[in-house]
Amino acid sequence: MSDYLIAVLVPPLVLWALALGCGLALERLLGGLRLPSALLLPLGLCVSLVLIFPGYAAGAGDGLAIGLLLAVALAGLIFARGGLRARINPGWPGLAGVVVYVLYMLPVIAYGHWTWSGYDFVNDSGFEMLLAEHIQGYGTVLGHIPQSTGREFLKEYLATAYPLGSQALLGTLGGLTGTAIPVLYQGYISSLAAFAAVALATISTRILTPRRAAFVAFVALAANLTYQYALQGGIKEIGLLAAVCAAVALARQAIVLARPYAAAMLLALASAAALTLYNAVAVPYLGALLLFTFFGAILVSRRWRPREWRVLSWIGPLAAGLGLTALLAIPSLITFQTFFQTAQVGQGSTGVGATQYGQLLRTLPLSQVSGVWLAGEYRLPVIPEPAATLTLIATVGLLALLIPGVLWGLRRRETGPLLLLGTMGLVLLVVFPRASPYAQGKLLAIASPAVVLVALAALGSVRGRLQPLALLLGGALSLAVLASDLLAYGYDRVAPTKQLAAIEATAERFRGEGPVLWNEFQEYAKVFGRAARVYSPFEALTPQQVVLRVPQYFYGHDFDLDQETLPFVETYPIVVMRRSPAASRPPANYRLVYENAYYEGWRRQPSPVVLRHLPEQRTYSATAAIACSALHGLVRGAPPGSELVLAREPRMYWYEPLYSADRPFGWGLVPGQPGAIVANTPGHAAGTLKVPASGRYAVWVQGDFPRPIQVYVDGRRVGSVSGSNTPNQWLQAATLRLRAGPHHVRVVKEAGRRHFGPGEWGIGTVGAVALKPARAGERLVTVPLSRWSSLCGTEADWVELVKP
């Protein structure tokens, strides 16, 4: 089976089978209890999480977790109450889960290869994948692994009790199926969202038909903010949402059960799963749910007076439920205080975390919880008309419908929507004002499905003459939610899997060696480069951060080797750098030993010994004229026996589309990258490049290309560049033979869409467009120290004083 089919089919099918089996096993354990078939899935998800995590917390690998999970799931499937055939169909809730899964998996399905969404946006997926892979071998204990950037991340996150429930189940899924974590990542998040939809489709059946309940659950999980957090890789947020939705569905079921102790066990499992997924962050949700479950039981029983509540009958099940929750969540509770303090400092509204925005550009308005945001970018206001007006109307409509939704639920004694909205609303009321903008965004994303569900349930429950009007309004609001998602999806970026495979191949070439200087700001090098001891010097957590000749802020930026100090570069026996027409060669004692379409690997040799380094590399050019004054400073006081080494590079011929006469008006400036443009619209930009000699030339384009950029030379299409790229890097479009003289080179962003994949509407950047003679062997020239003045004015990449 191809990786694409594995990415699309394996996560939902395997998790569905495991959850169904675990749910059936627990149902059997509880004796005569028989749950709705759909409810077995969210229940089984909670059982799976609670079952596997203690072993990981004790430092065991995935072998124990896989064994336990398979044993319990198979037992449940074999000994299913009433027979497996009768329980295997989840009905309309299952269909809601399937549609939600497809919506969340569209980036992968449409692209036709395994990948994940949200690349080069937050990139938190990088360390989430790293944690899931580490858990497979070492559990939640820092294993004996070599020093690297990846190890620094693991050490930091494990030391701060970072919640690892979602990563643990993902790691178990990877070990069970023998599949790499990145291949499963998007499917796993989409499956969690699907389980949440299944749970929500079961909570409003007293006021909606099963078909309408399923549709409302689907639209609820399509809430724009929730969807966008999933597309950016929010594995913990979507996991907690799935657990809370499961807890709400089970709490609703517990209210109508005549077996309080069985109900307490169901809620305890869901609560323990939520704690496993998000540790202390889950506590407000569980406390609010417990409170509203109590009021829901009073509502259903219609015992309004305190003396009719039979308080004594609640004490035993409540104590049993709390005790079981504490027992099942021991691994999380052990680290509770550590993570609570970390979260309080980093995500509180006062102190260090008060101004923490993370990936946000502003504080998100509370109104964004409505699920409608008719812009591709959720972090910015909706400004264009009529999108702004339509967003306002839909938001007001959805929020206003919460009142009749609550009243109708009270009248029909349907506790499900009330439990969901009450839980989310109370958490927002209490926690939202006390959280940083970064944490507030997560709270809104988790709460948004509750608002959409209750509002649409109010319209879907209307009967009589007003029913057509209510359904029309509900359809319009649903369309607004889905249109918001479509806009977000169109601008989403997927991971460039060819480049990531090149990282993996490069690391395999240097397996077990290192440290390796990975001279690129690539936040996934620590994941795909784990075979070697990769040091990413531009990361926040790394064994050694970059040392620049001119100190400056480096995170998220690109720096050439010539901008780094010689002692820093020479620390590393291996240097890996992006293939680029403008990159400086490593020092003279490094030799090129590996190359693929994206990367070069250089190994340090015993000789020569580099004493001093004079960089001459410039922006958009690997060479510059050497000044005599600089050379004199290089050779002054040189030790006897030393000599000079000159790195020659062929001249690069380039132009910047920003200054092209035919550049479209919509191609504007890129802040912080002089000469580059933002390709907001279709169009083209051309330049004439004159080459001095006939020969083979490589055609390069600098930039970031979520949508392909076509390249034409002398009116003939010679290739294209595509894929999200790291800062200031280049991609090679073609290699062709050119005659001496001028050549017309044009880059084109075409109109229309090639397929329904994300990024087709994406805005990329285009920097320089260049021609450069193809590489032709080593270009180091040795010059005796006595002839140093002969190099004055010579074009070179750099000059070094070396001792042979």
Side-chain angles (χ1 to χ4, degrees):
M1 185 183 294
S2 70
D3 282 345
Y4 171 63
L5 292 179
I6 290 174
V8 173
L9 298 178
V10 164
L13 293 179
V14 174
L15 288 176
W16 170 76
L18 292 173
L20 178 62
C22 289
L24 287 169
L26 182 64
E27 184 187 62
R28 191 75 178 183
L29 182 66
L30 294 177
L33 181 67
R34 185 180 176 90
L35 297 171
S37 295
L39 203 54
L40 292 171
L41 296 177
L43 173 62
L45 177 68
C46 296
V47 173
S48 301
L49 287 161
V50 171
L51 193 64
I52 66 173
F53 198 68
Y56 285 129
D62 60 4
L64 176 61
I66 292 171
L68 285 173
L69 201 54
L70 284 178
V72 173
L74 287 174
L77 294 172
I78 294 171
F79 301 107
R81 183 177 299 281
L84 181 59
R85 181 176 297 180
R87 313 304 306 282
I88 203 170
N89 182 9
W92 284 104
L95 181 60
V98 170
V99 179
V100 165
Y101 178 80
V102 172
L103 175 66
Y104 279 62
M105 273 296 284
L106 271 180
V108 177
I109 295 172
Y111 248 65
H113 59 75
W114 76 267
T115 185
W116 68 90
S117 64
Y119 179 83
D120 204 24
F121 179 62
V122 181
N123 284 346
D124 286 356
S125 302
F127 64 74
E128 302 289 12
M129 293 175 187
L130 189 69
L131 287 164
E133 290 178 344
H134 182 80
I135 284 171
Q136 287 180 302
Y138 302 98
T140 63
V141 178
L142 183 64
H144 297 288
I145 55 179
Q147 183 72 286
S148 64
T149 296
R151 188 181 187 277
E152 289 300 303
F153 270 84
L154 292 170
K155 183 173 72 172
E156 175 71 17
Y157 280 83
L158 295 177
T160 56
Y162 189 75
L164 295 171
S166 293
Q167 300 87 336
L169 186 55
L170 174 59
T172 306
L173 179 63
L176 178 61
T177 60
T179 306
I181 296 300
V183 175
L184 300 173
Y185 195 78
Q186 189 70 29
Y188 176 70
I189 292 179
S190 303
S191 297
L192 293 176
F195 278 102
V198 171
L200 293 188
T202 68
I203 69 172
S204 55
T205 52
R206 288 178 64 90
I207 58 177
L208 297 175
T209 63
R211 182 166 55 184
R212 289 186 184 179
F215 177 79
V216 167
F218 157 63
V219 180
L221 262 295
N224 181 253
L225 199 56
T226 309
Y227 183 63
Q228 295 219 42
Y229 266 75
L231 290 190
Q232 72 183 35
I235 190 172
K236 303 189 305 301
E237 292 72 35
I238 303 302
L240 179 60
L241 175 63
V244 172
C245 290
V248 168
L250 293 171
R252 175 185 179 271
Q253 189 68 18
I255 289 173
V256 299
L257 286 175
R259 301 177 57 188
Y261 282 95
M265 178 174 284
L266 294 177
L267 288 176
L269 278 163
S271 299
L275 289 167
T276 300
L277 287 163
Y278 221 147
N279 207 296
V281 176
V283 172
Y285 293 96
L286 299 178
L289 178 59
L290 182 63
L291 176 64
F292 281 98
T293 301
F294 175 73
F295 288 121
I298 296 173
L299 174 66
V300 170
S301 64
R302 293 188 176 181
R303 292 170 177 158
W304 309 111
R305 299 176 183 177
R307 66 173 179 272
E308 297 175 345
W309 292 352
R310 299 182 181 179
V311 174
L312 293 178
S313 66
W314 287 74
I315 293 178
L318 179 62
L322 291 175
L324 184 59
T325 300
L327 178 64
L328 296 176
I330 284 176
S332 300
L333 295 178
I334 290 175
T335 60
F336 184 90
Q337 183 177 3
T338 301
F339 179 69
F340 177 77
Q341 292 174 345
T342 301
Q344 192 175 38
V345 171
Q347 299 189 15
S349 61
T350 59
V352 175
T355 58
Q356 185 183 8
Y357 280 83
Q359 82 281 7
L360 302 181
L361 302 175
R362 62 183 183 126
T363 301
L364 299 184
L366 188 59
S367 62
Q368 211 158 336
V369 78
S370 69
V372 176
W373 203 251
L374 294 171
E377 175 58 87
Y378 75 90
R379 301 176 299 168
L380 297 174
V382 183
I383 296 175
E385 294 293 354
T389 300
L390 292 175
T391 299
L392 177 62
I393 293 172
T395 298
V396 171
L398 285 163
L399 296 178
L401 283 168
L402 295 181
I403 297 175
V406 170
L407 294 177
W408 188 247
L410 291 171
R411 180 179 177 183
R412 294 294 301 271
R413 292 187 294 161
E414 174 53 279
T415 58
L418 301 179
L419 291 176
L420 181 66
L421 185 64
T423 298
M424 299 297 186
L426 185 57
V427 170
L428 286 181
L429 180 65
V430 175
V431 180
F432 190 85
R434 296 170 172 81
S436 68
Y438 174 66
Q440 288 176 347
K442 296 184 177 186
L443 292 172
L444 294 177
I446 294 171
S448 193
V451 173
V452 177
L453 183 138
V454 173
L456 294 183
L459 293 172
S461 61
V462 173
R463 299 292 186 268
R465 290 179 299 177
L466 294 178
Q467 185 178 33
L469 180 61
L471 294 179
L472 181 63
L473 178 57
L477 293 174
S478 300
L479 184 61
V481 172
L482 296 174
S484 301
D485 291 350
L486 180 61
L487 290 171
Y489 165 83
Y491 284 93
D492 182 54
R493 294 169 180 252
V494 295
T497 49
K498 290 182 180 179
Q499 180 187 344
L500 298 172
I503 295 175
E504 195 167 34
T506 305
E508 281 293 336
R509 172 62 177 78
F510 301 108
R511 171 174 284 276
E513 298 185 60
V516 177
L517 171 60
W518 200 276
N519 204 59
E520 174 194 27
F521 180 71
Q522 170 53 272
E523 294 179 276
Y524 290 93
K526 58 182 175 285
V527 179
F528 288 86
R530 61 193 178 279
R533 292 176 55 201
V534 167
Y535 282 37
S536 297
F538 311 122
E539 292 261 28
L541 298 174
T542 193
Q544 184 179 16
Q545 293 176 332
V546 68
V547 181
L548 299 171
R549 290 176 175 270
V550 180
Q552 57 189 289
Y553 183 73
F554 58 82
Y555 180 83
H557 295 274
D558 165 70
F559 294 95
D560 188 81
L561 288 175
D562 268 0
Q563 295 175 275
E564 301 162 12
T565 65
L566 178 64
F568 170 77
V569 175
E570 287 281 345
T571 301
Y572 296 91
I574 299 167
V575 172
V576 172
M577 51 191 284
R578 281 290 296 273
R579 291 186 63 239
S580 164
S584 180
R585 184 202 189 281
N589 55 341
Y590 284 84
R591 295 291 180 268
L592 180 66
V593 295
Y594 176 78
E595 185 175 16
N596 60 35
Y598 290 87
Y599 293 97
E600 297 175 351
W602 298 74
R603 189 187 300 278
R604 191 181 61 208
Q605 306 298 313
S607 62
V609 177
V610 181
L611 305 176
R612 300 172 191 169
H613 181 92
L614 174 63
E616 291 295 344
Q617 196 259 3
R618 299 289 186 267
T619 302
Y620 294 155
S621 177
T623 63
I626 306 173
C628 268
S629 58
L631 270 174
H632 186 264
L634 182 71
V635 302
R636 183 187 297 119
S642 57
E643 57 189 15
L644 296 175
V645 174
L646 180 79
R648 291 187 179 275
E649 275 291 320
R651 177 173 291 184
M652 183 173 75
Y653 307 92
W654 51 273
Y655 75 91
E656 294 172 320
L658 177 64
Y659 304 110
S660 175
D662 57 351
R663 173 179 63 89
F665 178 77
W667 288 20
L669 296 171
V670 178
Q673 188 177 344
I677 56 93
V678 178
N680 292 294
T681 63
H684 66 271
T688 299
L689 302 178
K690 186 177 181 179
V691 297
S694 299
R696 292 185 61 78
Y697 287 82
V699 186
W700 294 86
V701 185
Q702 184 189 40
D704 179 35
F705 317 105
R707 179 167 182 165
I709 297 293
Q710 310 299 323
V711 181
Y712 292 78
V713 177
D714 297 329
R716 178 171 62 94
R717 182 186 177 278
V718 297
S720 66
V721 288
S722 63
S724 295
N725 208 3
T726 48
N728 295 326
Q729 295 297 344
W730 301 70
L731 291 178
Q732 184 175 342
T735 301
L736 66 160
R737 181 166 292 277
L738 296 176
R739 69 183 187 280
H743 295 275
H744 186 262
V745 183
R746 183 164 58 102
V747 289
V748 179
K749 180 179 180 181
E750 296 177 340
R753 294 173 63 87
R754 295 178 305 143
H755 53 69
F756 196 60
E760 282 291 291
W761 295 341
I763 299 173
T765 63
V766 181
V769 182
L771 295 175
K772 186 174 182 180
R775 183 190 296 274
E778 185 60 83
R779 297 189 178 91
L780 294 184
V781 179
T782 302
V783 178
L785 193 62
S786 59
R787 294 183 54 233
W788 70 266
S789 59
S790 67
L791 299 180
C792 294
T794 304
E795 291 271 334
D797 178 1
W798 46 252
V799 183
E800 289 180 339
L801 180 69
V802 304
K803 190 154 188 180

